[in-house]
Amino acid sequence: DSHEGASVAPSSRVVTIALQHQRVRSATGLAAVQESQGPATSVGVGLVEHGHIYYGPIALGSQGQVITVVFDTGSANLVVPAASCTSRGCSGTGARHKFDPKASASGSYVASTGARTDYDGAWRLSLGYASGKVQGEAFEDRVCFGSGPSSSGTCSERAQFLLAEYESDDFAGYEFDGILGLAPDGPLSAGKSFSLMARS
């Protein structure tokens, strides 16, 4: 039986990303909200965060430059260290990967209007995290997940991200290169086109 005019749901595709693990030594004090019949009150609680970070590879640009990103549920932006970034946060403790925009034929800087532009006309961004700060320019290019020797993965064309020219020292001790925010568009995003989760 065929139902005329019925829409067919797109087939689901599972993309697998090989994750790596880093245990973070520092503990974090967390705040909890205590609810009662009256107004909620904020109470300091001696919780200890176990400090586990999971990160994996993504491929960027026409050449498929591979960097590792932490999968962050508390942000909505993709942040990628630029090849030109020399701050300690970008370099870390050793062999960190950086994205070279000159090596990609498909990428472009992006103006605050969303139009493609050159470096001088690029939208300058600064993002703060609980554990640090990044600054750089808006850039757009191809971003691929789950690609490897036995899988083509899935890609988002003209995805916008922050190409970081500065990362604070807070990021120096981490093994990952960049940050992939998993939150949808909203108050945690620099704009709808910056949230890969909001793209169709």
Side-chain angles (χ1 to χ4, degrees), residues 2-190:
S2 118
H3 295 78
E4 200 170 313
S7 63
V8 177
S11 62
S12 296
R13 181 171 178 200
V14 176
V15 176
T16 303
I17 300 172
L19 296 179
Q20 295 176 290
H21 173 259
Q22 178 183 4
R23 183 165 181 130
V24 181
R25 295 181 188 184
S26 63
T28 304
L30 302 175
V33 175
Q34 180 181 30
E35 292 185 39
S36 61
Q37 293 201 1
T41 57
S42 180
V43 180
V45 178
L47 300 176
V48 177
E49 182 180 331
H50 289 284
H52 296 275
I53 295 173
Y54 293 92
Y55 60 97
I58 63 172
L60 299 168
S62 60
Q63 301 297 319
Q65 298 176 54
V66 176
I67 68 162
T68 59
V69 292
V70 64
F71 299 96
D72 182 16
T73 58
S75 69
N77 304 293
L78 173 58
V79 176
V80 174
S84 60
C85 183
T86 58
S87 68
R88 189 168 166 258
C90 284
S91 301
T93 56
R96 298 277 284 279
H97 302 97
K98 298 177 186 177
F99 178 71
D100 184 358
K102 294 176 185 172
S104 178
S106 55
S108 176
Y109 288 95
V110 179
S112 60
T113 60
R116 289 179 148 221
T117 188
D118 60 8
Y119 176 83
D120 293 331
W123 183 17
R124 307 291 190 244
L125 296 168
S126 179
L127 299 176
Y129 292 88
S131 60
K133 181 178 181 177
V134 297
Q135 295 174 330
E137 289 74 38
F139 197 82
E140 71 177 21
D141 211 335
R142 183 175 200 206
V143 178
C144 298
F145 305 88
S147 53
S150 61
S151 169
S152 62
T154 188
C155 298
S156 179
E157 304 296 332
R158 295 187 68 175
Q160 292 184 0
F161 52 91
L162 186 147
L163 188 57
E165 291 193 323
Y166 168 81
E167 293 181 3
S168 62
D169 290 353
D170 308 274
F171 294 104
Y174 296 117
E175 295 172 2
F176 58 83
D177 306 314
I179 302 166
L180 174 58
L182 298 176
D185 179 38
L188 299 176
S189 174

